[in-house]
Each structure stands twice: as C-alpha cells, then as structure tokens.
C-alpha cells in the first residue's frame, strides 16, 4: 500500500521557522493532504489540511505544489512546546477508504 | 462533549489471556479505526469500520478481532494475547472517511507478559 515518506527527525531552535516535507507520489486526484501532531502518551491531533497551493491557519501553513506529489508543513517561530512527532497523511482507497500512517517526523525544538 | 473515549487506559495481561478494548465516540461519526503504536514507532492500522455493520482489515489484523456494535462503539478483542501485542492502542473516528479529520482517543497502554 502506498504510504507517505517524511524525514525521520529534525532539530530546530526556538524562534526558528521549521519546514517538514512529505512525499506522496501516489496521491489520488480527489484526496487532500492532512497533517497531525502527536505528543508523547497522547493520540495524534489534527493540525492542517489542504488540497493545493497554500493553506494557513493559526498554527501552521501548508504548501502544496501543482503536481501534488509532495507537501510542506511550515511551523513559524517554533517553541519548546512544538516538540512532537508530525505525521503527513493521505487516505488510501482500497475497497473502502482508510488511513495508513507513515513513520512521521520527530521534531525536537532546542532552547 | 467527550469525543472518543477508550477504556481501559492501562492493562496488564498474561500470555494467552483474552480481553476487549472498548471505544466509543459521541460525534455521530460513521467511520472508526483501531491503530497500534509500538515504542518509538508510527501508528499501524489494525482494523477499521467505514460504517455501522462493516469492518475491514488494516495493515496488521492478525491476532485481533473487532466488533462495530453500533454507530457509537467499536471494540477490539485479543483472543489469546502474546507479548508481541504489547503496545499502545488508539481508537479514532471520522465523519465519513474520505478527506475527513481523524479524532483520536487517549489510548490504552497494554502490556502482555
């Protein structure tokens, strides 16, 4: 089954902008890209979702090029509390629709 | 509004014992999912239910059974627990499945000795 591909880990310093790129070469025409954040001992929580171009909310921005084979989550001015695992998710239609998580990107924000 | 509720939060089993993990959502969602997460790893899909009355296998279904009891509840059963099933189990739900947000429970930490 097709999965997304992300860097395993990233380090950043407080106040910096962090960009995490995800590859999803087999994304279907009708599918959106969704990003989740997971803190230790908690379930993942929704951050942002987009279909193409750029989406921005109060937490992050999502950049999606025209071919939609990749996407970039941008976290502006990160703080220590942004230390978490970030997952890029694209659904898979195989019979019925389901979500297969990739490995995620473990972001560590340093003081 | 509780969202997705999982019980129990912690469980210790001996090899060969059986148990059922319970999940309930109060958002009137159609789709529900069970994932497991091993230490330092990503989430792996065990089973899912696209709608009431239907269930399908995910990536790692062996050793598990599920029941979509009604629209609210989706249970995961381990018939004969094995140490390899030691993991954190997360239940999630979404409205209709495609391009919908997943809402997760807080997880069940299961240890099989």
């Amino acid at each position: 089954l097709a999965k997304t591909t992300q860097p395993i880990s990233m380090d950043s310093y407080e106040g910096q902008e962090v960009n995490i790129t995800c590859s999803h070469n087999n994304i279907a025409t009708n599918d959106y890209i969704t990003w989740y954040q997971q803190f230790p001992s908690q379930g993942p929580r929704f951050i942002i979702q987009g279909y193409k171009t750029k989406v921005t909310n109060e937490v992050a921005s999502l950049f999606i090029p025209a071919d939609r084979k990749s996407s970039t989550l941008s976290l502006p001015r990160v703080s220590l509390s942004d230390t978490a695992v970030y997952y890029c998710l694209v659904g898979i239609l195989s019979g019925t629709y389901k979500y297969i998580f990739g490995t995620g990107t473990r972001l560590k924000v340093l003081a | 509004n509780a969202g997705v509720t999982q019980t129990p939060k912690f469980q210790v089993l001996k090899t060969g014992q059986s148990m059922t993990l319970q999940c309930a959502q109060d958002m009137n969602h159609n789709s529900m999912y069970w994932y497991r997460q091993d230490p330092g790893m990503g989430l792996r899909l065990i089973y899912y239910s696209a709608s009431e009355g239907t269930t399908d296998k995910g990536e790692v279904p062996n050793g598990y059974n599920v029941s979509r009891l009604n629209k609210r509840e989706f249970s995961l059963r381990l018939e004969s627990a094995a140490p390899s099933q030691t993991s954190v189990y997360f239940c999630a739900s979404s409205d209709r499945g495609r391009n919908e947000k997943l809402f997760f429970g807080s997880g069940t930490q299961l240890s099989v000795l």
Side-chain angles (χ1 to χ4, degrees):
Chain A
L1 291 176
K3 280 187 183 181
T4 57
T5 303
Q6 305 172 230
I8 295 295
S9 64
M10 296 179 69
D11 288 346
S12 181
Y13 288 95
E14 281 191 293
Q16 289 188 332
E17 178 184 75
V18 171
N19 295 309
I20 305 174
T21 297
C22 176
S23 171
H24 30 78
N25 291 319
N26 297 323
I27 187 170
T29 303
N30 297 330
D31 284 344
Y32 283 60
I33 300 114
T34 311
W35 284 78
Y36 290 84
Q37 176 190 55
Q38 186 182 27
F39 296 115
S41 303
Q42 295 184 24
R45 68 173 189 176
F46 172 88
I47 301 176
I48 196 167
Q49 184 183 67
Y51 182 79
K52 61 180 179 181
T53 63
K54 178 182 175 182
V55 179
T56 298
N57 62 22
E58 65 278 5
V59 176
S61 294
L62 179 59
F63 299 91
I64 304 166
D67 66 7
R68 302 194 341 111
K69 293 183 183 297
S70 67
S71 59
T72 299
L73 174 73
S74 180
L75 304 172
R77 298 178 299 283
V78 294
S79 64
L80 295 176
S81 62
D82 292 316
T83 294
V85 180
Y86 292 82
Y87 294 96
C88 159
L89 198 61
V90 176
I92 296 172
L93 183 61
S94 175
T96 51
Y97 202 76
K98 56 192 172 188
Y99 294 99
I100 304 293
F101 280 79
T103 56
T105 298
R106 191 172 299 273
L107 173 65
K108 185 175 183 179
V109 180
L110 307 169
Chain B
N1 192 341
V4 179
T5 303
Q6 293 184 234
T7 56
K9 293 191 182 299
F10 301 94
Q11 184 70 49
V12 179
L13 294 177
K14 294 181 179 178
T15 297
Q17 287 186 317
S18 62
M19 79 158 295
T20 300
L21 281 63
Q22 306 287 352
C23 175
Q25 52 90 9
D26 61 3
M27 296 172 281
N28 202 35
H29 284 170
N30 290 289
S31 300
M32 298 186 73
Y33 312 80
W34 277 106
Y35 291 89
R36 61 175 286 176
Q37 186 172 37
D38 298 335
M41 305 292 287
L43 290 87
R44 291 186 290 172
L45 181 63
I46 306 172
Y47 270 94
Y48 64 107
S49 171
S51 61
E52 185 179 355
T54 68
T55 60
D56 286 287
K57 295 179 180 179
E59 302 174 272
V60 288
N62 291 343
Y64 305 95
N65 287 302
V66 290
S67 296
R68 184 73 183 266
L69 305 170
N70 47 55
K71 192 171 185 179
R72 290 187 64 247
E73 298 172 289
F74 189 36
S75 63
L76 178 72
R77 182 162 178 83
L78 288 70
E79 291 292 351
S80 179
S84 61
Q85 294 178 305
T86 293
S87 190
V88 179
Y89 291 83
F90 289 103
C91 177
S93 70
S94 66
D95 191 4
R96 294 192 179 280
R98 194 161 198 168
N99 296 325
E100 295 283 350
K101 298 178 191 178
L102 292 172
F103 292 82
F104 284 82
S106 57
T108 295
Q109 173 76 59
L110 175 67
S111 295
V112 183
L113 306 177

